[in-house]
Amino acid sequence: MTEPISKEALRTDEWTINMGPHHPSTHGVLRLELTTDGEIVSKARPSLGYLHRGLEKIGERVAWAQFMPFTDRLDYLAGMNCNCAYAWAVEKLAGIEIPERAEWIRVLVCELNRISSHLVAWGSFCADMGAFTPLLYGIREREWVNDLFEMVCGQRLTYNYARIGGVSHDLPPGFLEKTKEFCDYFEPLIDEYNRLITYNKILVHRLKNIGVISARDAIEWGLSGPNLRGSGFAYDIRRAEPYSVYPKLDFNVVVGHADRGTLGDCFDRYLVRIDEMRESVKIVRQVIDRIPDGPVMAKVPRVFKPPAGECYFRAESPRGETGFYLISDGGTNAYRLKIRTGSYMAMNIFEKISKGVMISDIVALIGSFDIILPETDR
Amino acid sequence: MKTLSAQEIFEKLKGKFGDGVVSLQTESVNPPFAVVPPGSIQEVCRFLKEDPDLLFDYLVCISGVDHKDKFAVAYHVYSTEHRHRIGVKAMLPHDNPVIPTVDVVWKAAIYLERETYDLMGIVFEGSCDPNRILLPDDWEGHPLRKDYIYPEQYHGIKI
Amino acid sequence: MSQGPAKRKPIKSNIFDVVPAPAEIPQNVLQKNFERVRACKGGEGIIEVGIADLFINWCRKNSLWYLYYATACCGIELMQGGASKYDFDRFGAVFRATPRQADMLMTAGTITHKMAERVQRIYAQMPEPKYVIAIGACTITGGPFYKDSYSVVKGVDLILPKVDVYVPGCPPRPEAWIEGIRNLQNLIMKTKNYGLKKA
């Protein structure tokens, strides 16, 4: 007869596991220091900075207009949004009025980019959850948007399309028709995605009740964008602090509504992105119908020197609030250029909500925040 | 919901703290800044967050600025309830930039303060996580300072 | 009989019958350089005899498994290139998640000083023979960050022992990646002595 095993003998040790910076499901070069007790994570501490390229310092060293290409590299999945946010910020600082058509074009390309960004977010999230097919579907449609952007500015990924005072080129002939064609093609596909994976039992069970964030916590920790709206709080900068022509457009602010599990879990954040694509298609359709004719570039001096002053401008990009805090001393360069991004704040709350989840749920958490590393590291 | 203008917010601050807040900086600045002494930043922020007419529950951004002779720390705050916004600014001496932390008021400040410390070298006293975040732990200097000189090499790799 | 082996001394063996390749089998790269012999007198099987280097290189170049490694913008093009429209798989390049199974490192994206040590470690973990394609301006020279950045490594060749192919662009289009892979395949076909240094 064996002796009963004492509780002391069953004690398990805590392990420290390193996840990343090279890991297929950390969406880039995120590194997590996991402290685990068996399969349960007791602490996950993000370690950032593996893609810190010093964009803020570069912003101080190059001319105002020259910083535009770097904003593409700030969030490469949504280059147009960052381009336009920076242009809007500088225009607000300098008090430049831009032509009506340029505003509409910017909103059009921003919303198209939001679709293509959410497609990759959705696809790679599903790939992290073990379903590879959605990634291929998502990229199939993203290629179509890339082709549209190639018509506009000749690039697939880093667009450099917006300019201080407007946009670099007018839309090419046939672009609006092609975009309309894309909308007609794409809108039914969202339902197809839902049939394909969204209510798949495995996916639902892996996402529901994981990483629950209450709306109060989300505001306290500074979340923004789909991550905040997933907690059921309707806060969209396009509505809360309207900029450009968004007040003239009709769209809904999508919020999470505890579709399967608890309000504010991974599944709610997932659904917000799916439904936001629908709203973006709606906006794109309105822009196509209502876009006015006219010039696309305001008169801006070649050597651009905004008056001395400070300004904080924020815009809604696919990953939340992209804010630019600009200080000008009246020179050709920015005196200080600070970038506030949504992914960085999402990493802030990560340590709190990852307590007590399984290791495989860590992957679900990273995917549900849709972080992108150049945004966290800059 | 009752949106207040920056002037009204500043009047409320003035009414509460008297000389504890210095001035309202409005000229060519958007949003306007209430300039406060560094010592009282925590009380001001707590008041901004908890007063029912202000309810600044969302910390948007913390930025450090190097003005060559002094440092400034700029806090942008926003109220999701009343939908108004204001900036709070504190000026620090250049030789010893230390300011009390506000991560006891907003949790969002943890990472924003770590970043400001890392890149600008402003020390947040009492911070729950006073470490570098973006640069390696053994990096020398704080790159966003105006007098920062780029190093020759790091771990044997030329910069 | 193909031309390559015919120039060499004909194989004479007591075991093998040297016979021409059957006409119904289509000629491909391999057969041009190899000759078929019947194993055993009487002929139950077929053995191909030729230069081992050619055969090994041919195998290597058509299964270039690349590491699923991406740091920045080029990583998205890596994803799109691996997906259905451009499909690197057509050239034998499929992604692997671990460096232990990878033959090729495509350094997609900016490498910072904090990341440099990790890239070196990833490279060290890959089994021989291993190939490196430097993708994009950042890993060739530092790209747009060359002049003003304090934290970017100005070229991956500063930290890795060798780079086989450079593909410029910011980011390069997937067609350019494919061109890079094809160039690497041509390089591999020129390898001598199994890629080993002569003793």
Side-chain angles (χ1 to χ4, degrees):
Chain A
M1 187 175 164
T2 52
E3 284 181 27
I5 301 165
S6 67
K7 207 170 180 183
E8 185 58 29
L10 274 177
R11 191 181 60 85
T12 51
D13 282 335
E14 287 208 327
W15 281 61
T16 305
I17 299 173
N18 187 37
M19 183 175 174
H22 167 254
H23 188 278
S25 58
T26 50
H27 291 218
V29 282
L30 171 66
R31 173 163 162 254
L32 295 169
E33 291 159 25
L34 305 177
T35 311
T36 64
D37 181 5
E39 188 75 0
I40 309 291
V41 176
S42 50
K43 192 179 175 193
R45 187 178 157 81
S47 169
L48 307 175
Y50 290 94
L51 194 51
H52 175 65
R53 303 185 278 201
L55 284 182
E56 292 175 8
K57 188 76 174 176
I58 292 171
E60 292 171 15
R61 288 164 67 109
V62 299
W64 288 96
Q66 280 179 351
F67 190 64
M68 189 65 75
F70 290 97
T71 57
D72 287 318
R73 279 95 188 152
L74 169 63
D75 178 356
Y76 42 72
L77 277 176
M80 286 290 189
N81 291 69
C82 290
N83 271 187
C84 296
Y86 177 67
W88 275 317
V90 178
E91 282 150 14
K92 186 174 174 186
L93 177 72
I96 299 171
E97 281 283 319
I98 73 166
E100 179 82 6
R101 185 175 169 84
E103 291 277 15
W104 286 86
I105 291 176
R106 280 186 190 177
V107 169
L108 176 67
V109 292
C110 279
E111 294 306 318
L112 278 174
N113 210 167
R114 194 184 308 276
I115 294 171
S116 72
S117 167
H118 280 343
L119 278 172
V120 170
W122 167 75
S124 53
F125 188 21
C126 292
D128 290 347
M129 295 296 97
F132 195 70
T133 316
L135 183 66
L136 296 175
Y137 275 53
I139 286 179
R140 185 185 65 189
E141 271 72 75
R142 188 185 155 84
E143 287 284 354
W144 192 315
V145 183
N146 281 356
D147 289 348
L148 289 175
F149 284 151
E150 226 178 313
M151 282 178 79
V152 171
C153 59
Q155 249 290 17
R156 287 162 50 84
L157 196 68
T158 46
Y159 309 110
N160 190 17
Y161 182 50
R163 291 284 182 276
I164 296 165
V167 292
S168 68
H169 300 86
D170 201 351
L171 296 176
F175 177 79
L176 291 177
E177 291 75 31
K178 280 242 165 65
T179 312
K180 199 160 188 314
E181 210 176 298
F182 168 73
C183 290
D184 294 340
Y185 162 78
F186 180 67
E187 210 163 14
L189 278 177
I190 301 173
D191 295 319
E192 192 185 318
Y193 297 159
N194 282 342
R195 283 200 303 278
L196 176 72
I197 184 102
T198 300
Y199 296 105
N200 180 301
K201 202 169 178 181
I202 300 171
L203 188 82
V204 171
H205 276 263
R206 283 205 62 182
L207 299 186
K208 73 174 186 184
N209 298 332
I210 301 293
V212 179
I213 306 172
S214 68
R216 197 189 161 79
D217 271 354
I219 294 169
E220 171 79 23
W221 289 79
L223 289 190
S224 57
N227 299 333
L228 175 55
R229 293 195 284 277
S231 301
F233 188 77
Y235 171 71
D236 189 324
I237 298 164
R238 292 174 292 175
R239 280 275 181 261
E241 255 179 37
Y243 54 93
S244 190
V245 293
Y246 280 112
K248 298 179 191 168
L249 295 164
D250 165 44
F251 65 97
N252 301 324
V253 176
V254 181
V255 292
H257 45 272
D259 198 276
R260 283 294 185 273
T262 324
L263 182 64
D265 58 3
C266 287
F267 194 68
D268 276 338
R269 289 193 283 278
Y270 168 92
L271 272 187
V272 164
R273 296 209 170 80
I274 296 267
D275 290 341
E276 259 185 21
M277 290 197 273
R278 236 185 273 272
E279 296 301 320
S280 288
V281 173
K282 208 160 117 187
I283 296 175
V284 170
R285 282 185 193 281
Q286 290 172 50
V287 174
I288 292 171
D289 290 341
R290 294 169 59 186
I291 188 165
D293 283 333
V296 293
M297 191 71 195
K299 277 214 159 51
V300 178
R302 205 149 266 258
V303 181
F304 177 66
K305 286 183 185 172
E310 302 179 17
C311 132
Y312 184 84
F313 177 84
R314 48 205 198 137
E316 182 80 18
S317 83
R319 276 160 202 82
E321 173 178 333
T322 298
F324 283 94
Y325 175 48
L326 306 174
I327 299 180
S328 161
D329 58 353
T332 52
N333 300 9
Y335 186 76
R336 173 84 168 94
L337 189 150
K338 156 90 189 175
I339 309 163
R340 187 261 194 224
T341 56
S343 304
Y344 188 68
M345 303 313 291
M347 288 326 293
N348 194 2
I349 200 173
F350 195 83
E351 195 171 332
K352 174 177 149 52
I353 61 164
S354 57
K355 276 202 180 77
V357 301
M358 312 272 273
I359 291 178
S360 53
D361 295 335
I362 290 282
V363 176
L365 280 175
I366 299 171
S368 82
F369 281 139
D370 183 22
I371 54 158
I372 189 160
L373 269 295
E375 256 204 2
T376 65
D377 297 349
R378 277 154 289 157
Chain B
M1 180 179 137
K2 186 164 169 288
T3 307
L4 300 178
S5 71
Q7 190 62 42
E8 288 166 315
I9 296 167
F10 182 70
E11 294 302 325
K12 275 193 87 75
L13 277 177
K14 199 87 186 161
K16 169 82 180 171
F17 291 98
D19 294 337
V21 286
V22 182
S23 63
L24 185 70
Q25 193 184 358
T26 54
E27 202 175 321
S28 68
V29 173
N30 188 345
F33 278 107
V35 182
V36 301
S40 63
I41 187 81
Q42 245 179 35
E43 291 83 56
V44 171
C45 288
R46 201 180 291 280
F47 175 73
L48 283 173
K49 190 187 176 189
E50 287 169 3
D51 187 82
D53 290 339
L54 302 177
L55 280 180
F56 282 102
D57 50 358
Y58 193 89
L59 175 65
V60 176
C61 191
I62 296 178
S63 335
V65 187
D66 183 358
H67 285 293
K68 284 176 187 160
D69 53 339
K70 58 187 186 292
F71 282 108
V73 185
Y75 302 77
H76 289 91
V77 288
Y78 178 76
S79 167
T80 53
E81 173 69 32
H82 297 303
R83 299 207 167 168
H84 48 221
R85 58 192 254 193
I86 196 170
V88 180
K89 198 183 254 186
M91 293 298 188
L92 308 175
H94 199 276
D95 49 346
N96 182 27
V98 180
I99 189 169
T101 176
V102 294
D103 65 9
V104 288
V105 186
W106 297 286
K107 294 288 186 202
I110 300 174
Y111 265 36
L112 292 169
E113 284 181 352
R114 273 181 78 182
E115 184 202 338
T116 312
Y117 163 69
D118 190 357
L119 300 181
M120 194 60 91
I122 292 168
V123 178
F124 291 87
E125 215 169 23
S127 168
C128 66
D129 197 352
N131 299 312
R132 280 190 182 266
I133 183 164
L134 295 177
L135 287 167
D137 288 337
D138 57 352
W139 192 272
E140 280 173 24
H142 303 281
L144 284 185
R145 290 190 176 186
K146 291 286 177 191
D147 55 1
Y148 180 70
I149 299 162
Y150 285 17
E152 289 288 313
Q153 60 169 21
Y154 176 74
H155 284 199
I157 304 164
K158 195 171 149 284
I159 288 181
Chain C
M1 185 63 87
S2 56
Q3 290 169 354
K7 287 175 190 163
R8 294 196 303 273
K9 218 168 102 181
I11 297 168
K12 279 185 182 166
S13 165
N14 293 331
I15 311 168
F16 302 136
D17 282 345
V18 183
V19 295
E24 67 268 19
I25 298 176
Q27 294 267 313
N28 60 22
V29 184
L30 201 56
Q31 283 166 5
K32 270 182 204 157
N33 297 303
F34 286 72
E35 75 190 284
R36 280 160 182 275
V37 293
R38 284 225 174 95
C40 312
K41 296 229 173 200
E44 283 80 15
I46 292 174
I47 302 175
E48 309 239 356
V49 176
I51 303 166
D53 259 346
L54 269 176
F55 177 69
I56 289 169
N57 291 343
W58 178 80
C59 293
R60 278 179 183 164
K61 80 159 191 178
N62 285 310
S63 74
L64 282 173
W65 291 3
Y66 61 90
L67 182 65
Y68 194 49
Y69 157 90
T71 54
C73 330
C74 295
I76 303 301
E77 290 290 56
L78 176 76
M79 262 164 69
Q80 299 193 161
S84 45
K85 187 168 177 185
Y86 292 99
D87 200 6
F88 293 159
D89 203 357
R90 291 176 295 164
F91 305 94
V94 290
F95 74 83
R96 305 304 298 169
T98 156
R100 306 270 183 206
Q101 299 169 353
D103 305 308
M104 172 168 67
L105 176 66
M106 296 205 271
T107 55
T110 321
I111 295 167
T112 60
H113 284 282
K114 202 174 179 181
M115 187 71 193
E117 230 164 84
R118 274 79 184 173
V119 178
Q120 284 168 334
R121 184 174 296 183
I122 287 169
Y123 181 78
Q125 283 175 342
M126 287 166 57
E128 291 281 354
K130 48 195 170 186
Y131 309 99
V132 178
I133 302 186
I135 297 281
C138 288
T139 54
I140 297 175
T141 62
F145 308 100
Y146 178 75
K147 185 161 165 270
D148 295 312
S149 179
Y150 48 84
S151 58
V152 172
V153 176
K154 311 291 191 306
V156 72
D157 38 12
L158 293 178
I159 54 172
L160 296 186
K162 64 151 191 176
V163 176
D164 297 288
V165 178
Y166 295 86
V167 180
C170 191
R173 297 178 56 92
E175 291 93 332
W177 292 59
I178 292 171
E179 175 76 19
I181 294 173
R182 300 278 296 151
N183 279 339
L184 180 62
Q185 288 181 335
N186 290 341
L187 271 183
I188 291 171
M189 280 311 275
K190 287 175 191 158
T191 313
K192 295 270 163 61
N193 200 15
Y194 320 114
L196 300 173
K197 285 194 184 109
K198 274 182 186 156

